[in-house]
Amino acid sequence: MATDHPMLTNPEIKYRPFVSPIELDDRKWPSKRLTKAPRWLSTDLRDGNQALSDPMDVERKMRFYAMLLAIGFKEIEIAFPSASQTEFDFVRALIGGNRIPDDVTIQVLTPSRQDLIARTFESLEGARQVIVHLYNATAPLFRRVVFGMERHEIVDLAITGVSAMLEESLRRPETDWTFEYSPETFCFTEPDFALEICERVLDVWQPTPERPAILNLPATVEVATPNVYADQIEWFCRNISRREAVVISIHPHNDRGTAVAAAEQALLAGADRVEGCLFGNGERTGNVDLVTLALNFYSQGIDPKLSFPAIRDVVTTVEHCNGLPVHPRHPYAGELVHTAFSGSHQDAIRKGFTAHRQRNDGIWEMPYLPVDPADIGETYEAVIRVNSQSGKGGVAWVIEQDKGLKLPRSLQRDLSRRVQEFSEKSGKEITAAMIWSIFQQAYHLTGPQEFELISYQDGNSRKAGNHRVFAGRIRHKGREIALSGRGNGLISSVVAALEDGCGVALDVVDFHEHALKRGSDSQAVAYLECRTQDDRPIFGVGIDDDIATASVKAVLSAASNG
């Protein structure tokens, strides 16, 4: 496509790295492992909400809040109460309506302005326990361009704000207060300045290990690779003077598309707490996705302390409240993420399920499926879906899951060829109902048949020496005829009867049978592979309440395909 403003071939003339890597030659985080979940804070109702073109009303906020409680969040940033009357009223509705469980702490955000801090604390009257979160911009770009302030002025602004928070809290001793401070945006603030301003904040608050403060170190705009953020976090954790009295929180955004990786590496580097949103909602490209992050822990055998037993209900609620869709390829939660269309993927998954059933040790080891879909309320019905890219394994999986038919490999290939031809003509995904229809037509299980069984005598009572005798009546091309034949078993005697009575010569190559379900009322299915006189492979399938009758029907099905 032509454009008047093409991308630069030498972007270095316009763009520079935002940050210089910290000199941390003895970094420890790369060799560490994540072994427990962090403290979680959902900021969907604040950061996520302010990023919506149509912010949530009280009804949608209440619905979202109830879902967050059900998921298991113990810290929820509910509002920016000084920003609007709607935000203020929502805080009051939760507190006044006694909607905050005893083990849940609400959080609110305020800028470093005394009048807005006072308004924030006014909204919190009567709350049992609250985190009040104050932020101000510290990065050089913001100091220079947005505020026109020097370092010392930024420090003074922060100290004024945190001092006002302390004064407001002392007027309300009935509430258990926790203070949080964010140097925004930490990830491209000079490390020494981020450390200096946080130390000054702690000097005011005087936290203790018993009553710690929270220092939130946000990647408000993601401007470097995750390892750089991890280095920054490790350096800060090493150098902050009251580490045992401080909770290190992170708030990664997703501008580079690596917020989840940045969060995981920051936790390795010493962070204790993660702020984010469900499915990554938030300004621009969004916040770190707490669903993905939590289920990443789960997939490694670590209890994430958040629960998603019905992920589809969570998706539905978030889409309703945010007015934004969750992408069908979104990790864990998208409609297609547990689905394989590719033939090689389908074959691997089908074999994986077979091995899983045989091993029966409870351990989940499945090709292409890092978590069991059933654990998050999803079914296996859509694990394999069929289109023109699918192979025999995918078709076999669908028909086994839908109808209980365990097709032999040669029959899988024959059916897969038929399904692929149908798919290529239609250009569409093939449903289980379509596959069943193709199967029925291909093997003459429905509709007019060239060879159709009417009745036969039980071969067990008709033996001649070492041979078995088949005697029965069939409908051949609409005409009823009697047939009889002799063989060393039921199938061979039916084949002989067809050759003697109808001139149809079949050479049986393979035969399989199984029950469709357990119990006395189970149907049986028989599969037959034959060769014709001109050496063509043909297949037959018979289904009946009686396994012997299913075998007879399979021979006639094959003859109809001859």
Side-chain angles (χ1 to χ4, degrees):
M1 294 186 298
T3 176
D4 293 332
H5 193 101
M7 288 183 65
L8 300 172
T9 57
N10 53 342
E12 70 275 4
I13 68 172
K14 186 173 185 178
Y15 298 100
R16 294 286 187 273
F18 274 81
V19 295
S20 298
I22 289 180
E23 295 297 327
L24 198 65
D25 295 336
D26 61 340
R27 59 180 60 83
K28 306 298 183 185
W29 67 263
S31 61
K32 293 185 178 179
R33 293 182 59 191
L34 296 175
T35 58
K36 64 177 183 178
R39 286 172 55 174
W40 302 105
L41 174 101
S42 162
T43 184
D44 290 271
L45 300 178
R46 195 279 299 171
D47 196 336
N49 186 51
Q50 74 184 40
L52 301 176
S53 58
D54 179 21
M56 287 181 266
D57 56 18
V58 171
E59 181 275 328
R60 285 190 288 161
K61 265 199 157 189
M62 283 293 186
R63 180 172 172 179
F64 208 124
Y65 173 74
M67 178 187 64
L68 293 173
L69 294 179
I71 289 170
F73 283 96
K74 301 304 180 186
E75 298 178 27
I76 302 173
E77 191 167 51
I78 59 171
F80 197 149
S82 66
S84 72
Q85 191 63 43
T86 299
E87 294 285 279
F88 187 97
D89 291 344
F90 180 69
V91 178
R92 295 309 310 155
L94 290 185
I95 297 170
N98 197 29
R99 290 185 169 96
I100 306 168
D102 290 344
D103 62 344
V104 172
T105 302
I106 59 171
Q107 178 171 307
V108 295
L109 183 72
T110 180
S112 187
R113 268 181 47 186
Q114 287 184 297
D115 58 330
L116 301 182
I117 292 168
R119 176 71 168 165
T120 298
F121 274 83
E122 181 185 348
S123 75
L124 297 167
E125 293 281 355
R128 282 187 294 268
Q129 52 202 25
V130 180
I131 300 169
V132 182
H133 179 193
L134 181 139
Y135 73 97
N136 69 307
T138 58
L141 177 64
F142 286 80
R143 298 197 308 262
R144 184 179 72 252
V145 174
V146 180
F147 298 103
M149 299 174 72
E150 299 296 328
R151 277 192 180 194
H152 70 276
E153 295 173 293
I154 295 293
V155 172
D156 289 345
L157 181 62
I159 297 308
T160 299
V162 299
S163 299
M165 286 173 59
L166 183 59
E167 291 172 8
E168 293 286 348
S169 71
L170 293 174
R171 297 192 187 104
R172 299 168 177 88
E174 72 280 1
T175 298
D176 182 6
W177 300 102
T178 298
F179 297 145
E180 176 175 347
Y181 174 70
S182 289
E184 191 215 9
T185 176
F186 167 80
C187 64
F188 59 97
T189 296
E190 305 94 329
D192 67 306
F193 182 50
L195 183 67
E196 175 192 347
I197 197 168
C198 287
E199 292 283 14
R200 294 289 303 278
V201 165
L202 297 181
D203 287 342
V204 175
W205 286 343
Q206 291 295 310
T208 65
E210 295 72 31
R211 298 188 62 81
I214 301 171
L215 293 179
N216 186 52
L217 308 178
T220 316
V221 182
E222 189 180 36
V223 295
T225 52
N227 63 296
V228 173
Y229 188 47
D231 281 351
Q232 293 170 327
I233 298 298
E234 181 169 333
W235 183 91
F236 189 92
C237 289
R238 289 186 188 186
N239 288 280
I240 192 73
S241 64
R242 299 171 176 86
R243 182 64 183 95
E244 72 286 351
V246 169
V247 173
I248 299 298
S249 182
I250 56 171
H251 186 120
H253 277 250
N254 198 41
D255 301 84
R256 293 170 57 91
T258 57
V260 168
E264 290 175 333
Q265 294 186 16
L267 290 171
L268 290 171
D272 308 300
R273 180 177 184 263
V274 180
E275 301 187 353
C277 291
L278 303 188
F279 309 124
N281 185 37
E283 296 282 11
R284 304 177 314 282
T285 56
N287 295 278
V288 65
D289 172 15
L290 298 187
V291 177
T292 298
L293 195 54
L295 290 176
N296 281 355
F297 277 94
Y298 184 80
S299 72
Q300 302 301 304
I302 301 168
D303 181 3
K305 306 301 182 182
L306 300 176
S307 180
F308 302 95
I311 196 73
R312 200 57 41 209
D313 292 344
V314 176
V315 171
T316 299
T317 298
V318 171
E319 288 182 334
H320 167 75
C321 294
N322 285 346
L324 295 171
V326 173
H327 196 280
R329 298 291 183 190
H330 196 99
Y332 300 108
E335 288 185 346
L336 295 178
V337 298
H338 301 117
T339 299
F341 289 100
S342 162
S344 61
H345 289 207
Q346 292 173 344
D347 187 58
I349 291 170
R350 187 175 63 86
K351 291 175 179 175
F353 271 98
T354 299
H356 182 67
R357 287 192 294 267
Q358 292 172 346
R359 196 172 60 247
N360 195 31
D361 60 3
I363 300 300
W364 184 257
E365 291 181 332
M366 192 65 56
Y368 300 111
L369 294 175
V371 299
D372 185 348
D375 286 0
I376 53 176
E378 301 291 84
T379 69
Y380 297 143
E381 293 177 6
V383 166
I384 290 176
R385 289 164 60 176
V386 175
N387 62 15
S388 61
Q389 303 298 309
S390 303
K392 67 181 187 301
V395 173
W397 163 273
V398 171
I399 206 163
E400 180 177 349
Q401 296 297 306
D402 190 50
K403 299 297 180 182
L405 299 174
K406 301 174 183 178
L407 306 186
R409 290 181 65 84
S410 56
L411 186 56
Q412 291 176 25
R413 288 192 293 268
D414 188 68
L415 177 61
S416 176
R417 173 183 57 80
R418 297 172 187 270
V419 171
Q420 186 174 33
E421 289 174 355
F422 183 89
S423 179
E424 288 174 346
K425 289 178 181 178
S426 68
K428 297 179 180 178
E429 180 186 346
I430 306 301
T431 65
M434 291 176 183
I435 293 174
W436 178 237
S437 177
I438 294 168
F439 184 85
Q440 287 180 303
Q441 293 176 31
Y443 307 112
H444 308 283
L445 299 178
T446 186
Q449 303 171 33
E450 186 173 350
F451 296 92
E452 184 177 356
L453 179 65
I454 298 173
S455 64
Y456 76 102
Q457 295 179 0
D458 185 356
N460 287 328
S461 64
R462 295 287 307 280
K463 290 189 177 181
N466 294 325
H467 292 87
R468 188 165 183 169
V469 176
F470 171 83
R473 302 190 66 80
I474 68 168
R475 188 173 288 108
H476 179 219
K477 297 181 178 179
R479 183 171 61 91
E480 186 174 321
I481 60 174
L483 293 178
S484 66
R486 180 178 297 180
N488 59 7
L490 177 59
I491 292 175
S492 60
S493 64
V494 178
V495 169
L498 283 172
E499 185 169 6
D500 291 343
C502 302
V504 177
L506 298 175
D507 182 19
V508 177
V509 176
D510 198 14
F511 174 76
H512 296 269
E513 64 185 21
H514 66 82
L516 286 177
K517 60 180 180 179
R518 295 179 179 177
S520 58
D521 61 343
S522 172
Q523 281 192 308
V525 58
Y527 311 104
L528 195 69
E529 179 182 359
C530 300
R531 290 277 174 176
T532 62
Q533 286 183 309
D534 56 357
D535 203 35
R536 287 184 300 108
I538 57 174
F539 298 88
V541 179
I543 300 176
D544 196 84
D545 293 339
D546 174 65
I547 185 59
T549 304
S551 301
V552 174
K553 288 181 175 181
V555 177
L556 298 179
S557 168
S560 297
N561 279 328

